[in-house]
Structure formats: structure tokens, C-alpha cells
Amino acid sequence: MFKILVYQPLLNILALLTILFKGNLGLAILTLGILIRFCLSPLNRNLLKHQQKLNKIQPQLKELQDKYKDDPQKFLKEMKNLYQKEGIKMSSIFKVMLWQMLLLILFFIFIKQAILNTNWGPDLYSFVKMPENINFTFMNVLNLKEPNLYLLVLYFILTLIPTFLQLKTTNQKIKNIISTFIFLIPIFVLFLSKWQDFSVAVILSWIGMSLVLIIEIFIFKPLKENTIK
């Protein structure tokens, strides 16, 4: 099922991109990551709207938490009322996040398999040719099959930019921004401890997705005030 619905379609698109870029597989993977992220844009836009709404009401949530610190049930009730008033549906947020996570995991598996198994011929459609003279390096420096710590760090920096922009858009205090980044540190440490498991090819696809997310943040920045509904 994975092969028919995910692996083969993506592999054929990757083959076409590789041909388009004259055998430059690294650039083809980066572009594929960008295209996949664009396909997720409708889901991501919905998620961005809800995240911006959540960031906007953080001061109100803090007031409710202080006011009902001795009455957790009352706090939960008032928080639910606030969510309903602002049009925030936590179930929608979780569903979108789960779908995105599932798709990204499938894409991660695809990239690893496509790089390890370079015999694409049997899985290409009849109208797609096998690319010739595939270059398995990026910028003629980085081997796509090998891990690279510096590139992984660059990816982490790129992932912080959308988070910072979203918090900045809703005028969050510096303390809240720092707290968010501190929360992300354990996740980064976990990834860095396993950096040898992530090939350059996988990281390039992630970087492509992050670049699109940064662009989306700028595009939807006007949602800051009146359009967040």
C-alpha cells in the first residue's frame, strides 16, 4: 500500500525533477520538499490561524489561571468558554498536526528508501525515464547518503524562525518567546544526539519544507488583528 500510494508517485516526481535539474538529485530533493509543503498549505494555514489565536489569548489565559488557581474545574470551564468565544477548536489543531506528522513521517521514509535504493527503474511509470548521471552530492560537497551535523543545525535554526515570527506577530512578551524556545531545546538535543541517523538528503527535504513555512508566516502575517476570525 505504501509503495503504490506514496513511494511510487513521489519517486516518479523525484525522477522528473532530477531530469529537470540535469541529474542534480540534491536540488531535486530540496524542490520536492518545497512542493510537498505547498501541498500541505491548506492544512497549515488552518493550523497557523489557530496558533495565532492561541498566542493572542495567552494573557487572558494567564489571568484565568491566576484567578482560578484554587479551582481547576472552574478554570477549565472558563478556558473552554474563551476558546469557543475566539473560535478555537483544539480538536482541529490536533487533527491537522497528526495529519502533517503522518505525512512528514511517510515522506521521511520515502527519502531514505529512494536514496538507499538507487535502482528506480522497476518503480518508474512507463512515461518516466530513468535519470542519467545522477549526482549524489549537494553543491558538489555534501554526500546525500551521509549525515551532516552542520546542516542539521541549520535546519533547526530555520525551524525557530517561524516560531519566532508567530510569537512576534501576536506581540508576545520577550519572556514568553524565550520560554517557548527553552521548551524546544530538549527536542533539538534529542535530534542532535541522533544526528548520524539523518542523511543530507532527508535534511534537505526538511529545509525545503521549512523555507515554505517561513514564507507562509509572512504571507499570513496580516492575520494578526482583524482577520484572525
Side-chain angles (χ1 to χ4, degrees):
M1 188 66 70
F2 170 78
K3 183 176 182 180
I4 297 175
L5 297 180
V6 179
Y7 183 78
Q8 277 190 292
L10 289 179
L11 183 64
N12 281 267
I13 296 173
L14 181 60
L16 291 172
L17 289 172
T18 304
I19 294 173
L20 178 64
F21 294 120
K22 299 180 180 180
N24 192 326
L25 183 58
L27 190 55
I29 290 173
L30 181 66
T31 304
L32 183 59
I34 291 173
L35 292 175
I36 292 296
R37 192 74 213 194
F38 268 123
C39 291
L40 294 176
S41 288
L43 289 176
N44 195 55
R45 182 174 182 179
N46 185 45
L47 182 60
L48 286 175
K49 284 183 177 180
H50 278 80
Q51 287 177 335
Q52 287 181 355
K53 289 177 182 179
L54 282 173
N55 290 334
K56 183 181 177 182
I57 66 171
Q58 286 306 306
Q60 293 169 270
L61 284 176
K62 184 66 170 60
E63 290 179 6
L64 290 176
Q65 190 175 27
D66 293 338
K67 184 177 181 179
Y68 299 109
K69 60 183 178 180
D70 296 326
D71 192 348
Q73 290 186 343
K74 182 66 174 177
F75 167 70
L76 291 175
K77 181 179 178 180
E78 292 299 323
M79 182 178 68
K80 184 178 179 181
N81 291 336
L82 179 60
Y83 282 172
Q84 290 179 341
K85 179 182 177 182
E86 297 295 332
I88 298 173
K89 298 179 180 179
M90 295 304 295
S91 59
S92 297
I93 295 177
F94 291 133
K95 286 178 181 178
V96 172
M97 292 179 68
L98 285 174
W99 269 110
Q100 287 195 345
M101 186 176 297
L102 175 61
L103 291 171
L104 293 179
I105 290 174
L106 291 175
F107 189 64
F108 168 77
I109 296 172
F110 159 73
I111 290 293
K112 294 198 70 172
Q113 291 186 4
I115 293 299
L116 291 176
N117 178 24
T118 55
N119 182 25
W120 297 350
D123 294 310
L124 295 180
Y125 300 140
S126 59
F127 56 87
V128 178
K129 296 181 180 180
M130 179 68 185
E132 298 179 359
N133 302 320
I134 300 178
N135 184 354
F136 282 89
T137 63
F138 183 66
M139 307 294 289
N140 292 320
V141 176
L142 303 176
N143 189 327
L144 296 177
K145 298 181 180 182
E146 295 180 355
N148 187 284
L149 178 60
Y150 301 108
L151 195 64
L152 186 61
V153 171
L154 173 62
Y155 165 69
F156 287 155
I157 294 173
L158 289 175
T159 60
L160 288 176
I161 294 175
T163 303
F164 175 78
L165 289 175
Q166 288 185 66
L167 292 172
K168 195 68 176 176
T169 296
T170 49
N171 296 322
Q172 293 293 303
K173 295 180 180 178
I174 295 296
K175 183 175 67 173
N176 293 339
I177 295 176
I178 294 175
S179 298
T180 301
F181 287 161
I182 290 176
F183 173 78
L184 294 173
I185 288 177
I187 300 176
F188 292 165
V189 171
L190 177 62
F191 269 83
L192 289 174
S193 67
K194 300 290 186 179
W195 71 274
Q196 291 183 329
D197 295 334
F198 305 109
S199 66
V200 168
V202 170
I203 301 172
L204 279 177
S205 68
W206 289 348
I207 288 176
M209 294 179 182
S210 293
L211 291 175
V212 175
L213 183 57
I214 293 172
I215 294 173
E216 287 178 339
I217 295 292
F218 277 110
I219 291 175
F220 301 138
K221 195 171 182 180
L223 298 176
K224 170 180 170 181
E225 295 293 342
N226 297 329
T227 55
I228 302 183
K229 296 179 181 179

